Amino acid sequence: MEGLFYLTKTPKGKENQPMKVAVVGATGLVGTKMLQVLAERNFPVTEIVPVASERSVGKEVSFKGKNYTVVSMADGIAAKPAVAIFSAGGGTSLEWAPQYAAAGIKVIDNSSAWRMDPTKKLVVPEVNASALTAEDFIIANPNCSTIQMVVALQPLHEKYGIRRVVVSTYQSVTGTGKKAVDQLFNERKGVEGEMAYKYSIDLNVIPQIDVFLDNGYTKEEMKMVLETKKIMQDDSIRVTATTVRIPVIGGHSESVNIEFENEFDVTEVKALLAAAPGVIVQDDLANQIYPMPLWAHEKDEVFVGRIRRDETQDKTLNMWIVSDNLRKGAATNAVQIAEYMLANGLL
């Protein structure tokens, strides 16, 4: 784990390297957050190329106090950025990511289009950035709920060996998009409007995220199962998930039950997590300090608390994981991938 880093500054020796960056889907919730994160983390951008669908072409977006005009997908290629960070949906990515890659542009894609493609890397920098090579032109950004979980699981897997994970999620409406956020606040104000969900979300929880599959699980639940194995490079880890939408906007929360191969000490678990890159332990029961979306909002870290032994089964741990799904669950993770690639000569 020590070889992986949580990059916040321009890599040494790269300060003057020109870095034209395209953000595809720049006008959406995640695209807007990507622009914000690129600025906040001081990624060495010399020019932003905001790309979006035809209906958004001609609009302007702001980056570090300067306005940039949104261009089309084809014009984004013509601008010849070094890297393009995609957050424009799976269909758009399937059509356009290969075209960007063919033009020599590195693509970091936030959709589900490439995640389970065996020829593409699925990357969380704190876990498996070392898998990246100069030959990787389309890199997949994992699902938001998977990202925060594996950041916390990785140091424990290295120490104790994970056999099985049972996870239940409590996911923010921001994971669905602006339409869902609008629905929540319209309902709170008693205003009728467009519905992102079949049911009311305010004062409610919806135990369905994405479509149901033939096995009775949702697509979101199976993403967590399959992506965890791929990122952690261990098909022996058994994962079962229940994903739920709740009426919050600050981030996703997860209740995680982990069965290990080997015995553990709870104090040591807390120390391992506290030392892990990208993790902050909030576990002060005396003062009722534990992770909450309220505190994770607009933060890049993964917050872990309620760390305790499962008293019903040997070698099993319970913990609570919270992270801002638009940042670490999407934009920040994508920018961290770009940071790693730049620092290691892969851009």
Side-chain angles (χ1 to χ4, degrees):
M1 293 294 291
E2 294 300 324
L4 301 180
F5 56 86
Y6 203 58
L7 237 173
T8 57
K9 296 181 180 178
T10 305
K12 188 175 181 181
K14 300 285 186 178
E15 293 86 356
N16 299 314
Q17 178 174 322
M19 187 61 56
K20 188 184 291 188
V21 177
V23 175
V24 179
T27 58
L29 262 185
V30 176
T32 301
K33 191 61 65 176
M34 284 174 173
L35 292 169
Q36 178 187 333
V37 171
L38 283 164
E40 288 178 359
R41 294 175 70 87
N42 291 316
F43 192 79
V45 178
T46 55
E47 182 184 344
I48 281 287
V49 181
V51 181
S53 63
E54 289 296 333
R55 66 178 178 274
S56 294
V57 170
K59 292 182 179 178
E60 289 191 338
V61 299
S62 179
F63 180 76
K64 288 193 169 182
K66 184 177 177 181
N67 287 341
Y68 293 86
T69 302
V70 175
V71 301
S72 68
M73 298 298 297
D75 286 343
I77 296 174
K80 298 183 178 178
V83 59
I85 306 177
F86 273 59
S87 186
T92 299
S93 181
L94 285 170
E95 179 182 357
W96 286 97
Q99 296 184 54
Y100 275 70
I105 302 163
K106 299 292 176 105
V107 173
I108 301 169
D109 181 57
N110 194 56
S111 79
S112 61
W114 306 100
R115 290 175 186 161
M116 297 314 299
D117 185 324
T119 69
K120 305 293 184 291
K121 307 290 173 54
L122 183 65
V123 176
V124 176
E126 295 90 340
V127 179
N128 65 336
S130 59
L132 290 168
T133 70
E135 286 70 48
D136 292 312
F137 273 85
I138 299 176
I139 301 103
N141 208 36
N143 184 45
C144 47
S145 49
T146 307
I147 288 173
Q148 66 187 68
M149 185 172 74
V150 299
V151 167
L153 291 183
Q154 181 66 17
L156 304 182
H157 184 47
E158 290 179 349
K159 179 69 176 179
Y160 308 113
I162 293 174
R163 294 183 62 189
R164 182 171 186 256
V165 176
V166 181
V167 54
S168 297
T169 72
Y170 306 73
Q171 294 183 221
S172 163
V173 295
T174 56
T176 305
K178 183 179 183 300
K179 186 176 176 182
V181 176
D182 290 344
Q183 178 182 336
L184 172 60
F185 284 100
N186 281 341
E187 288 169 355
R188 293 205 167 170
K189 291 182 289 189
V191 175
E192 287 191 15
E194 262 195 303
M195 300 276 285
Y197 307 115
K198 179 178 179 179
Y199 303 104
S200 296
I201 185 62
D202 192 31
L203 301 177
N204 193 26
V205 298
I206 301 174
Q208 176 187 356
I209 299 179
D210 214 321
V211 298
F212 285 106
L213 303 175
D214 290 344
N215 63 358
Y217 288 82
T218 66
K219 198 172 178 181
E220 180 84 357
E221 289 159 355
M222 293 311 298
K223 285 177 187 176
M224 294 195 74
V225 173
L226 299 172
E227 291 179 20
T228 298
K229 295 171 182 283
K230 183 172 180 179
I231 296 163
M232 297 181 71
Q233 301 172 75
D234 191 339
D235 286 337
S236 72
I237 299 174
R238 294 175 292 159
V239 182
T240 187
T242 302
T243 58
V244 180
R245 190 72 66 190
I246 65 171
V248 302
I249 62 168
H252 292 349
S253 304
E254 298 172 346
S255 173
V256 185
N257 178 270
I258 312 150
E259 181 186 353
F260 295 111
E261 295 279 357
N262 301 298
E263 191 50 81
F264 63 88
D265 175 78
V266 172
T267 301
E268 184 181 53
V269 166
K270 292 179 181 180
L272 283 169
L273 288 168
V279 174
I280 292 179
V281 173
Q282 293 181 322
D283 200 287
D284 181 356
L285 302 187
N287 292 297
Q288 298 176 34
I289 302 297
Y290 29 69
M292 294 186 292
L294 184 69
W295 292 348
H297 187 49
E298 289 294 347
K299 304 290 196 310
D300 284 334
E301 294 81 11
V302 171
F303 298 86
V304 185
R306 299 297 320 280
I307 301 164
R308 64 208 187 276
R309 186 176 293 276
D310 180 345
E311 297 183 345
T312 70
Q313 182 167 274
D314 291 340
K315 303 175 187 175
T316 304
L317 182 78
N318 285 308
M319 62 186 188
W320 177 253
I321 304 171
V322 180
S323 191
D324 187 320
N325 56 294
L326 292 184
R327 291 188 68 104
K328 182 54 183 169
T332 299
N333 198 76
V335 173
Q336 283 180 292
I337 293 171
E339 289 173 344
Y340 180 91
M341 295 176 75
L342 179 60
N344 289 274
L346 305 179
L347 281 183

